[in-house]
Amino acid sequence: MGMKAKQRLGRIIYHILVCGFGFVMIYPLLWMIMSSFKETSTIFSTASQLIPEKFVLENYSTGWKGFAKVSFATFFKNSLTISIIATIGTVLSSAIVAYGFARCKFKGRRILFVAMLASMMLPAQVLMIPQYLWYQKLGWVGSDLYLPLIVPYWFAIQGFFVYLMINFIDGIPRELDEAAKIDGCSYYGIFRRIILPLITPALITGGIFSFMWRWDDFLSALLYVSNTAKYPVSLALKLFCDPGSSSDYGAMFAMATLSILPAVIIFIFLQKYLVEGISTSGLKG
Amino acid sequence: MSKKNLTLKQRLNTESTAGVICTLPFTFGFLMFMIVPMFISLYYSFCDYNILSPAQWCGLDNYVKMFQDGRFFKALQVTFYFAFVSVPLRLIFALIVALILLHTTKITGIYRAVYYLPSIIGGSVAVAILWKRMFAMDGVVNNLLGVIGIKTSFSWLGNTSTAIWVLIILAVWQFGSSMLIFLSSLKQIPVSLYEAARVDGANKWQQFWKVTLPLLTPTIHFNLVMQMINGFLAFTQCYIITQGKPMDSTLFYTVYMYEQSFENYNTGYGAAMAWVMLAIVGLITWILFATKKLWVYDEGL
């Protein structure tokens, strides 16, 4: 065998292996999506076949009806409300805090910066019970306004986003600030007119991650939302697994498929930002 | 110009005031949503408290009880096992796949996307319920095993030794984001180093051990710290898929803490557990940083 042929064979084997393993990686997702189009009674008897014998949309219509007269339209609306409001808060507050850290020297800056790094290391689960006790005192538990799921995010409590934006602002030449200052711009004006427009990519990256995290958030919904009509999608999906539910697996897979749709859309159209967020600041997808 | 003559507007526009004002949201948020809750829970951790009735001071009782609680130690053991198995496995996978997909062509871009899609959606409830059905007795795993000739209705989630592996596989499946981090640091290693190594007669294998791996150690360290913390605190997947069953073999610390606080209403005990967890996470982070100089290369290129 010649050198060329050998190389070619090597390349073919490489692609077969990488493709094959990639198929294994996304098989669970394909299986879920395909199962949602199968007749619900045949899902497990035909579990080893990927392609449905008969494509049906029935699971989507039965699943959409939801639970106890609350349809999935409501659950999706709730999820969107929470995720969008919390994300706007996260992005705006993180941007201004990052600007303060990156561009201003002030007393206590070091301590505050350490606090921010610590907040990155302090995961939500450690705070689960402490925050619950505190929000209970504030009367936020079970509130239909989603206060515990929204308000904290308006105060830049996720250090990751601040950190991401500090890095970005550091890359903007200070000469721009100086020039604006000479033109009579205040520190706040510089933020609004110069920094904010220039860090748009970081705002988008932060916004995407924040949105996906809020959308997937299950723990705080579990703790703080008690009224079924106010459930976000993540919590509503859990109802399919509860003992005593009718276990309509077709409907369950149909709604689960819809629930990952926002993430998949982001993945397809905004991949550039995702990759950037993960590889520059180690945000977890 | 003396300070007194400045107008309010001018005073707000000094660098230090602007800094304080701009970072005010974080200062407030940090105090209100982290520090205050932590101290309130510190108080309650010394109390017999169950949300429904007023708290009663009981000193160190909750902490003493923890040391006599078999399930507490079981939860610790399960959590350590999960973190120490799933995190290294995930990093090894991520590194291998990153090395395989390093050369950029059009098609490797698609491969990369396929490999990291799971880590984008892996934390969702949808994937958790999917996983639960996949490993059910009549689920897709047993069915596929049937196709290749192993007829079985093994209960993966009902067996004390396999249930934890269902969760570990789910965690390892999401290696994609670590892979991306590795890819970006692999690209920063200058080609000249490899050329120099080749001139010195190093083969591919030696190049990996002597050049690639040492230069990757800072990235590995960063990944290890962040993922260990998260590995210790996994909640959603365990809560939905196994709820600690069977026989507490998958009882994660966080799930046990949740159960004690919100199902058994031992909220004081739960608060104490949160503090112990913070101490453990802090200790592990400290160990990872303290041992950093032993194996992390940080002398620059």
Side-chain angles (χ1 to χ4, degrees), chain A residues 41-271:
Chain A
S41 56
T42 66
I43 290 178
F44 290 102
S45 55
T46 63
S48 55
Q49 291 165 327
L50 200 54
I51 312 293
E53 280 163 1
K54 206 170 92 192
F55 263 92
V56 291
L57 291 170
E58 193 196 340
N59 295 324
Y60 284 85
S61 54
T62 46
W64 194 257
K65 285 190 195 119
F67 306 92
K69 299 215 174 80
V70 186
S71 84
F72 260 82
T74 311
F75 299 137
F76 273 95
K77 198 194 80 208
N78 293 339
S79 268
L80 273 177
T81 311
I82 300 168
S83 311
I84 289 175
I85 300 179
T87 295
I88 294 173
T90 302
V91 170
L92 287 182
S93 60
S94 304
I96 191 149
V97 170
Y99 171 71
F101 276 124
R103 285 297 205 251
C104 306
K105 284 199 197 79
F106 57 94
K107 240 191 188 158
R109 180 179 174 277
R110 270 186 72 89
I111 293 180
L112 216 52
F113 193 75
V114 171
M116 193 204 70
L117 292 181
S119 80
M120 267 164 70
M121 299 278 191
L122 195 68
Q125 293 88 335
V126 173
L127 290 164
M128 162 168 93
I129 289 164
Q131 282 178 337
Y132 184 90
L133 295 169
W134 176 227
Y135 296 156
Q136 205 195 24
K137 289 230 171 312
L138 295 175
W140 287 7
V141 173
S143 96
D144 283 348
L145 291 172
Y146 304 119
L147 293 174
L149 280 67
I150 291 175
V151 177
Y153 296 100
W154 281 78
F155 293 94
I157 53 159
Q158 285 170 298
F160 262 125
F161 296 114
V162 181
Y163 189 72
L164 172 87
M165 290 178 198
I166 290 179
N167 280 343
F168 215 89
I169 295 173
D170 280 341
I172 299 170
R174 272 169 191 270
E175 286 75 29
L176 290 178
D177 296 32
E178 299 302 329
K181 225 179 279 173
I182 291 166
D183 289 345
C185 217
S186 70
Y187 279 94
Y188 314 99
I190 294 173
F191 171 70
R192 205 160 50 90
R193 285 171 221 270
I194 304 203
I195 302 293
L196 209 52
L198 285 175
I199 60 168
T200 314
L203 299 180
I204 297 175
T205 305
I208 288 172
F209 278 95
S210 167
F211 181 84
M212 291 201 308
W213 289 348
R214 290 309 105 225
W215 185 271
D216 280 346
D217 184 20
F218 170 74
L219 179 56
S220 26
L222 180 70
L223 289 175
Y224 301 117
V225 184
S226 44
N227 181 354
T228 314
K230 288 288 171 183
Y231 273 15
V233 174
S234 57
L235 206 51
L237 279 177
K238 170 75 170 57
L239 292 177
F240 280 114
C241 310
D242 281 348
S245 75
S246 54
S247 308
D248 182 343
Y249 293 119
M252 178 174 99
F253 285 139
M255 291 306 109
T257 303
L258 287 185
S259 81
I260 59 167
L261 214 53
V264 172
I265 290 172
I266 289 173
F267 175 78
I268 292 172
F269 293 105
L270 299 166
Q271 213 184 104

Side-chain angles (χ1 to χ4, degrees), chain B residues 274-301:
Chain B
W275 270 92
V276 170
M277 176 158 78
L278 182 65
I280 292 171
V281 170
L283 186 70
I284 286 167
T285 313
W286 179 78
I287 290 174
L288 284 173
F289 275 102
T291 55
K292 191 179 175 189
K293 60 176 179 294
L294 298 179
W295 61 277
V296 175
Y297 177 88
D298 59 354
E299 287 162 42
L301 294 171

Side-chain angles (χ1 to χ4, degrees), chain A residues 14-15 18-19 21-22 25 29 47 105 122-123 125 129 131 134 136-137 156 187-188 241 249 267 271 285, chain B residues 12-13 15 21 26 32-33 40 44 51 100 111 113 115-116 119 121 129 133 143 173 233 257 261 278:
Chain A
Y14 169 86
H15 283 290
V18 174
C19 274
F21 190 58
M25 286 288 292
L29 295 173
K105 284 199 197 79
L122 195 68
Q125 293 88 335
I129 289 164
Q131 282 178 337
W134 176 227
Q136 205 195 24
K137 289 230 171 312
Y187 279 94
Y188 314 99
C241 310
Y249 293 119
F267 175 78
Q271 213 184 104
Chain B
L12 283 175
N13 197 27
E15 185 174 336
I21 290 177
F26 174 74
M32 277 294 276
F33 303 118
I40 290 179
Y44 281 123
I51 300 188
I100 291 174
Y111 289 152
Y115 284 103
Y116 91 90
S119 73
I121 51 164
I129 57 180
R133 292 314 309 166
N143 261 294
W173 184 56
L233 301 162
M257 193 167 75
S261 311
L278 182 65

